[in-house]
Amino acid sequence: MIVINGGHFSSLAEFYEEISNSLMKDTDWKVGTLDGFDDILYGGFGVFENKEEIEIIWKEAQKSVQDLGVKATKEFYDNKIRQGKPFNIELIQQKLDDLMAGKGQTLFEILIEIIQSHPNITLTLD
């Protein structure tokens, strides 16, 4: 069982730190992107093996819903647009437009979707 404690972070960067401490302890590699987060959930490095059945409990998930909600997601997309290449600015702008229209995913929802895309992982929001 792996615990993500929403009380330990308030931003995406701090989430990456929390997840690195939970899933990548005793390794030199740290999570720093959404793709990197997805990659470590395949297992084989860090604290569990490839396709091993694991349970993730996300404590204080309601706090994370707020912390990684619309405001944080807008900042995330705005930063990518400001950076420009290598990011697909048109796609990111569309995601931002969808978010602002109430149709897009927040960072919290994106993270949940990433976790749920791994059939060997059971997620409990606490």
Side-chain angles (χ1 to χ4, degrees), residues 14-103:
E14 292 170 348
F15 168 81
Y16 291 147
E17 188 65 31
E18 172 76 3
I19 209 69
S20 293
N21 291 338
S22 298
L23 294 175
M24 301 303 294
K25 53 184 153 189
D26 302 327
T27 70
D28 292 335
W29 195 76
K30 299 285 183 191
V31 177
T33 65
L34 293 171
D35 287 338
F37 175 55
D38 186 40
D39 288 346
I40 65 166
L41 294 180
Y42 285 100
F45 49 97
V47 298
F48 68 96
E49 292 305 314
N50 200 1
K51 297 185 180 178
E52 179 181 344
E53 297 283 324
I54 64 165
E55 179 182 11
I56 296 178
I57 298 175
W58 191 321
K59 293 189 176 283
E60 296 188 48
Q62 241 354 87
K63 178 183 177 300
S64 297
V65 168
Q66 296 301 314
D67 292 341
L68 302 173
V70 172
K71 182 180 177 199
T73 308
K74 181 181 182 318
E75 290 173 10
F76 175 77
Y77 288 140
D78 283 342
N79 286 337
K80 289 196 176 299
I81 290 168
R82 264 194 302 282
Q83 286 178 294
K85 289 186 178 182
F87 301 112
N88 179 338
I89 302 307
E90 288 178 18
L91 176 62
I92 294 168
Q93 185 63 57
Q94 183 60 56
K95 288 183 178 208
L96 178 57
D97 293 345
D98 288 348
L99 176 75
M100 300 316 293
K103 299 182 293 186

